[in-house]
Amino acid sequence: MSARIGVLNDFIQFRSNWSRYGLAVLLVAVAAAIRYALTPVVGTITPFLFFTLAQVAVALFAGRGPGLLAVMLGTAVGYYLFLQPAGRLSGAEEAYFIILNVLVAIGLIWMADAMHRSRNEARRSEAEARAAHQRLSDLLDRIGDAFFSFDREWKCLHANRRAASMTGKEPETMVGETFRSLMPGVFTASRATLLQRVLENQEFLALDGLAEPEGLWFELSAYPGPQSASVFIRDVTDKKRVAIAIARSEEQFRRIFDESPVGMMIVGMDARILRVNNAFCRMLEYSEEELLGLTITEITPQEDLLTSGFYSPIQQKLITGRTEHLQMEKRYLTKSGQVLWTNLNASILREGGDRRYFLGIVENITERKQAEEQLRESQKLESLGVLAGGIAHDFNNLLTGILGNASLSLDLAPSNSPVRPLLQRLVQSSERAADLTRQLLAYAGKGRVVLTAISLSTQVQEISSLVRASFPRHVRLDLELAPEMPAIEADPAQIQQIIMNVLLNAAESIPGDRLGLVTVRTFALAATEGDLRGTLPSSRAQPGRYVALEVVDNGAGMDKATLARIFEPFFTTKFT
């Protein structure tokens, strides 16, 4: 293909050169014909005048080469046709005349050729300028921004097609119009001062805003020139609407996140807390700044890390993408060390590329779990009560016959009878068994409980002598009783039984190889909800004024498993 184009160009160049030299021959022939036709009028005067004119014309229109050819042809034709036949000049004069004619012709040709080259150069420069202007115009039409060129009075010199679509006018009709008339929403009074600095101070300007009333969001860039300014205006309305929609969505998410009544958190893939809402902070008793410095592992009970921690198998299913949603019950540690039961709903948020976050919605279900625990305790106690009531009822029927017959036998036995002491011990044992039966019936809700106003300090004082008598020799009992205690309504027998059992358990927990001390304190206090939290596993104590009994010993103490079961009926650690 390139070879064919080269041959075609050579052929065109060949034809162009022959046409130029042919023009030289043609004009010389025309000059000869005109001179020959005018011979009767001019005679032998100026034999080379018409040839000189032809030579200048050839040089002017065809260039220097064809002009020199015209000089040679014109000199030869003029000499043989018009100078020599006249025979008026000698040989030296003819030579001088011919040389002078040739020099004059060559000089004229050189001048004409210079004019020819200058004209061609001007045409070429003009063509190149038009081509460059067209290329620039095409380039400006292809860009996506509106382009304007303004003079120092902000009158339009040029505008591209995008500017035409933005203003609704053709580029040709915008020439001469002012920036304000073309885009009044952009060239406002407040922006006019900024735009004027572009030309006055030769400063680059970049600004954005909203064109009113067109509703056009734009970005403007103005580049200064010596006598003009180039202004690019980009329509960013769609981009701005998307940004506004995203901002509104983010604001809605922020409000939902921050004002949600349930706890919400965003966690990185390294288990570090990145964002929390107010509800979650209140739930865990931390400030937002404190939580943002922690990891999920640090607010999870140690014993739960393998089952419900961030790196547990169930949560790793969500983090690794094997499931899209996670719902589970999970425990958290509050700042005060309390364990909080929650219902966790979690999913993965993706933010461009591979950036992922853990979104958790946390609902506090501690009260529900306590209610469930209370219900289970109530059901268990109810079952035990039914069992205890049945046993106590049957046992009481048996005791009635045993105690009645033992009492009658004791009354009938002589005072010196050897069986009398045995019958007395039988009656005493039957009465203690009857007391136990009454306690079982009271637990089952079938007994009769006598509620009276009593002082807790008085009850401890009354039973202290019996307790001291029951203590091992190496254990001492100290009493620190408040003298004036608010009265409470309770069954004195049951309160004393509770005190007796607690004190005996405390004494029995102290090893026999060291001196033991059991201290009993009574006092009144105004308890808050925080003070009472966790004191009763199966119920929620109400804040208020309470009386308290505190027993302190230097024994081995209880582990957590034992402590969790101290309120269970019939639970004991003694198996003797």
Side-chain angles (χ1 to χ4, degrees), residues 86-100:
R88 297 185 320 148
L89 300 176
S90 63
E93 291 175 341
E94 289 181 0
Y96 175 77
F97 188 79
I98 292 172
I99 291 173
L100 180 61

Side-chain angles (χ1 to χ4, degrees), residues 21 34 43 46 83 121-122 157 171 180-181 228 246 250 289-290 305 323 332 400 446 504 518 528:
Y21 285 98
I34 294 173
T46 62
L83 184 62
E121 187 66 29
L157 301 176
R180 186 186 300 275
S181 64
S228 63
I246 292 175
E250 291 178 348
E289 291 75 14
E290 290 172 331
L305 292 179
T323 183
Y332 289 100
T400 300
K446 299 178 180 180
L504 290 178
V518 177
T528 65

Side-chain angles (χ1 to χ4, degrees), residues 37-93:
L38 294 176
T39 297
V41 178
V42 298
T44 59
I45 301 174
T46 62
F48 295 108
L49 176 60
F50 291 100
F51 293 104
T52 301
L53 294 176
Q55 293 158 6
V56 172
V58 171
L60 186 60
F61 292 103
R64 187 167 50 196
L68 292 174
L69 176 63
V71 169
M72 290 185 291
L73 291 175
T75 302
V77 173
Y79 175 76
Y80 285 107
L81 292 181
F82 304 109
L83 184 62
Q84 189 180 27
R88 297 185 320 148
L89 300 176
S90 63
E93 291 175 341

Side-chain angles (χ1 to χ4, degrees), residues 50 70 77 135 192 204 218 245 254-255 294 304 309 424 465 547:
F50 291 100
V77 173
R135 287 195 299 270
F204 167 75
F218 67 91
R254 185 194 65 78
R255 292 183 61 184
L294 301 177
D304 293 355
Q424 289 175 343
S465 58
V547 295

